[in-house]
């Protein structure tokens, strides 16, 4: 059987352990702190965005990835990145010369360079 409802609509069986008023429940020091006005403006910082990570989606994948990682560990990351940059620049020059030879326009040349990058990622050269 359900408990009878009072005039407020609540059950008589619900009892509170709180006796008194809100004013008497706070110590004197707390009341003084609550009486102070709130600051006029509050500076809220934006949530920090994670920085975009430069990296290869196929990191560690591809047939040449172990050799690339081994070489990078032996000669050091800085020197390795310099060598890789030179190799990429040389390859881009070869592609450019090839495009000049066959009469391809700039858009086709850019497409070939992008294709070379994708293939390098798949093979593990950019690991």
């Amino acid at each position: 059987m359900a408990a009878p409802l009072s005039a407020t609509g609540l059950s008589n069986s619900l009892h509170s352990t709180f006796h008194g008023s809100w004013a008497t429940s706070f110590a004197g020091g707390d009341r003084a702190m609550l009486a102070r006005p709130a600051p006029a403006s509050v500076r809220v910082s934006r949530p920090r965005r994670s920085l975009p990570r430069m990296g290869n989606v196929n990191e560690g994948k591809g047939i040449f990835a172990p050799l690339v990682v081994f070489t990078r560990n032996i000669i050091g990351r800085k020197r390795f990145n310099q060598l890789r940059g030179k190799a990429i620049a040389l390859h881009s020059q070869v592609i450019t010369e090839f495009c000049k030879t066959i009469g391809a326009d700039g858009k086709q040349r850019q497409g070939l360079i992008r294709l070379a990058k994708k293939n390098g990622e798949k093979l593990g050269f950019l690991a």
Side-chain angles (χ1 to χ4, degrees), residues 7-60:
T8 60
L10 298 175
S11 171
N12 284 338
S13 63
L14 295 176
H15 295 286
S16 173
T17 58
F18 177 74
H19 298 288
S21 70
W22 288 105
T24 59
S25 67
F26 291 110
D30 291 338
R31 228 183 291 151
M33 184 177 72
L34 291 174
R36 280 188 284 175
S41 66
V42 177
R43 180 175 290 200
V44 178
S45 64
R46 292 182 184 171
R48 289 207 164 252
R49 280 185 170 176
S50 61
L51 296 174
R53 190 177 76 101
M54 296 287 290
N56 183 5
V57 178
N58 297 320
E59 180 90 28

Side-chain angles (χ1 to χ4, degrees), residues 54-114:
M54 296 287 290
N56 183 5
V57 178
N58 297 320
E59 180 90 28
K61 298 178 184 176
I63 192 166
F64 293 105
L67 179 64
V68 170
V69 171
F70 177 75
T71 305
R72 182 178 60 208
N73 291 339
I74 296 296
I75 67 173
R77 188 175 294 268
K78 184 177 179 181
R79 178 77 177 125
F80 176 78
N81 285 338
Q82 289 173 344
L83 283 171
R84 184 186 346 219
K86 286 179 183 178
I88 290 170
L90 272 171
H91 194 232
S92 295
Q93 286 176 357
V94 168
I95 292 171
T96 301
E97 289 301 317
F98 174 75
C99 288
K100 284 181 184 177
T101 302
I102 65 169
D105 63 352
K107 193 171 183 177
Q108 289 173 324
R109 182 183 65 84
Q110 286 179 342
L112 286 174
I113 291 173
R114 285 192 184 107

